[in-house]
Amino acid sequence: MKNSAFISVLGFLTAVLLSFQVNAQQKTKKSVFIIVDGIAADVIEKLDPPNLRKIARAGGFAHAIVGGEKDGYSQTPTISAVGYNSVLTGTWVNKHNVWDNDIAEPNYHYPTIFRLLKTQWPQKKIAVYSSWIDNRTKLVGDGLPQTGNINVDFHFDGLEHDTLNYPHDEQRDFMHRIDEAVANDAAKSIREQAPDLSWVYLEYTDDMGHMYGDSPAFHKAVDYADKQVGRIWDAVQYRMKNFNEDWLIIITTDHGRDSVSGHNHGGQSARERAGWIVTNAKGLNEHFRKNKASIVDIMPTIARFMNLEIPTDIAREVDGIPLTGEISISNLKADKRDGKILLKWTAHETAGRVKVWIARTNHFKTGGKDEYEPAGEFELSSGKAEIDLKKFPSAFYKVVVEAKHNRVGRWIVDSTK
């Protein structure tokens, strides 16, 4: 009898444990990313905003490069819309083609995280809450045929054109009030509708940076933004506590500021390139922890969290790598010399091999397909490879190195041809 009772209790406890495990596995994954405009990493470190600190304690804080590869093929202007699109697409400007705030000719062949999500799961809901309407209409491309007529299910934007309720003043206090409205609507919508993927954009900090540079007025704007982020974080926590949902929140910036006065940005100085990421993400990896991240890593991080499968032809174009979970390889460098491509990388595992693929075309840029040819297999731990180009004559190469947990890629452009 005692053994029978023991077995019954053990069976009950096992069933309960399995139930908890199943429920954990079945949690709906949702994500929100917030771009707070124009705050260099040193400002966040100096001010240590309390709500960002709370979120970082749940996950982490890291420096994150903006601006692409300095003096390289992917060097990217440290300008607002340029940075937003790097976050959205996981690519630098040489691919997404948004060079300034005019957003004249985005290359929609490089899809945003929203479009990838809607392609895989059309029923999932997406949202944009923004102090600038162009983020939804031009960058995400809401309703445009070039984006497959993607539909943004929830949006709150365009208030910059509402001069009746938000009359424009020289001190740009109207923009602070717009940010307040955007943050409040985002928090309310997340609490009530809980879109699967949301983007919140807040502008006022950049306005104060341009007007006052490094100053108490700028720091006050950062404090405002932190409180706005806090309200959104409260909504996320409410959803996690009361619903069977697992949420990822990522907060970042689009560019830093100049080191002389803090008024300007757009160049490639260290401070203009000094972005940052705050997140509640679990399982942050070495790439994040060692401050090797960049803003293009946000898109693949969201994709990994949401179990979003990126098609191979698109994944080969993505410049970022996930900031969570296992990775095999990062920091790929490529140099063409003496008829060879010399590759170097950082290995994050001691065993395993990598496959190197080469494409000599860039048809993807115009909506076509590139043919990738195998160029050899190499030991991951060696951190290097040489590719003889006799079989691959060209003035342009895309090189992709595939490892067990992720892939990295580079372009090689012969400037003499």
Side-chain angles (χ1 to χ4, degrees):
M1 291 292 291
K2 289 183 179 179
N3 287 342
S4 177
F6 174 76
I7 291 171
S8 297
V9 171
L10 182 62
F12 173 76
L13 292 175
T14 301
V16 170
L17 179 61
L18 288 173
S19 176
F20 279 131
Q21 290 175 338
V22 168
N23 286 337
Q25 292 172 353
Q26 291 177 342
K27 281 189 175 183
T28 303
K29 292 182 176 290
K30 295 175 181 278
S31 299
V32 55
F33 61 98
I34 304 172
I35 299 178
V36 188
D37 204 314
I39 309 172
D42 64 275
V43 176
I44 298 298
E45 291 175 315
K46 176 182 178 180
L47 299 181
D48 192 21
N51 288 295
L52 290 184
R53 187 192 322 130
K54 288 178 188 177
I55 298 169
R57 283 176 179 169
F61 165 86
H63 288 230
I65 291 296
V66 302
E69 181 184 273
K70 186 177 181 180
D71 301 322
Y73 74 100
S74 67
Q75 179 170 295
T76 296
T78 54
I79 296 173
S80 295
V82 186
Y84 313 158
N85 217 36
S86 291
V87 173
L88 289 169
T89 64
T91 67
W92 297 116
V93 73
N94 60 299
K95 297 177 182 178
H96 67 63
N97 204 48
V98 173
W99 288 90
D100 53 38
N101 290 336
D102 291 340
I103 317 178
E105 296 183 69
N107 191 333
Y108 294 115
H109 297 303
Y110 299 90
T112 66
I113 185 68
F114 290 107
R115 197 159 136 217
L116 290 170
L117 186 80
K118 280 288 194 180
T119 299
Q120 184 167 326
W121 295 302
Q123 75 280 10
K124 289 190 180 291
K125 305 300 184 183
I126 61 175
V128 177
Y129 315 96
S130 174
S131 302
W132 196 22
I133 196 172
D134 286 357
N135 288 339
R136 172 176 60 87
T137 59
K138 292 185 178 181
L139 295 182
V140 178
D142 188 17
L144 296 182
Q146 303 96 304
T147 64
N149 300 109
I150 188 173
N151 175 54
V152 177
D153 300 282
F154 305 100
H155 63 85
F156 185 83
D157 53 20
L159 298 186
E160 72 271 34
H161 300 306
D162 181 0
T163 56
L164 179 63
N165 291 303
Y166 299 92
H168 293 196
D169 60 293
E170 291 184 0
Q171 297 304 312
R172 294 189 70 79
D173 180 66
F174 76 95
M175 187 51 67
H176 165 59
R177 295 195 297 114
I178 287 175
D179 277 0
E180 284 283 292
V182 167
N184 289 341
D185 191 87
K188 183 175 186 292
S189 181
I190 287 170
R191 187 177 288 264
E192 296 176 0
Q193 283 90 30
D196 296 280
L197 177 61
S198 302
W199 173 21
V200 183
Y201 166 68
L202 304 171
E203 179 181 326
Y204 184 64
T205 44
D206 190 49
D207 291 348
M208 293 301 97
H210 281 295
M211 291 180 69
Y212 300 108
D214 294 311
S215 64
F218 178 52
H219 294 169
K220 185 177 181 180
V222 174
D223 180 63
Y224 284 152
D226 181 68
K227 288 181 171 66
Q228 292 155 1
V229 169
R231 296 199 289 274
I232 297 166
W233 174 233
D234 287 344
V236 166
Q237 290 180 299
Y238 168 80
R239 295 298 306 188
M240 289 194 290
K241 181 180 178 180
N242 294 285
F243 298 85
N244 196 35
E245 296 170 355
D246 185 15
W247 280 75
L248 170 69
I249 185 171
I250 297 178
I251 306 97
T252 192
T253 195
D254 50 340
H255 56 76
R257 312 211 70 82
D258 76 88
S259 58
V260 177
S261 65
H263 282 274
N264 304 308
H265 59 84
Q268 293 293 318
S269 70
R271 194 172 187 233
E272 287 168 294
R273 293 170 54 83
W276 48 273
I277 293 172
V278 167
T279 180
N280 72 326
K282 305 301 181 187
L284 291 162
N285 55 37
E286 190 177 50
H287 185 61
F288 181 92
R289 295 291 184 191
K290 291 191 173 181
N291 286 315
K292 301 296 184 182
S294 67
I295 57 173
V296 295
D297 297 329
I298 291 172
M299 189 273 265
T301 301
I302 294 172
R304 176 172 278 189
F305 174 79
M306 300 190 75
N307 299 316
L308 177 60
E309 296 179 6
I310 303 177
T312 299
D313 60 331
I314 298 172
R316 283 172 166 166
E317 301 291 337
V318 173
D319 292 315
I321 65 174
L323 299 170
T324 57
E326 293 184 282
I327 56 172
S328 303
I329 185 172
S330 66
N331 194 35
L332 179 66
K333 305 293 182 184
D335 185 29
K336 181 181 175 185
R337 190 186 313 155
D338 299 326
K340 296 180 179 180
I341 292 178
L342 308 179
L343 301 175
K344 292 184 179 180
W345 60 78
T346 299
H348 295 273
E349 297 178 298
T350 57
R353 295 176 68 79
V354 300
K355 293 181 179 180
V356 178
W357 301 85
I358 287 181
R360 289 178 277 175
T361 59
N362 196 13
H363 299 316
F364 188 95
K365 181 179 180 180
T366 54
K369 296 278 188 179
D370 294 307
E371 181 181 348
Y372 280 85
E373 305 168 83
E377 292 192 19
F378 304 89
E379 291 296 327
L380 170 65
S381 60
S382 70
K384 61 182 181 180
E386 290 188 6
I387 308 298
D388 192 331
L389 293 177
K390 290 179 182 177
K391 296 180 180 179
F392 310 102
S394 181
F396 171 83
Y397 300 93
K398 294 180 182 179
V399 181
V400 174
V401 183
E402 291 185 348
K404 181 178 180 180
H405 296 295
N406 68 294
R407 57 169 62 84
V408 288
R410 297 270 302 185
W411 285 8
I412 298 175
V413 182
D414 190 344
S415 60
T416 64
K417 298 270 179 117

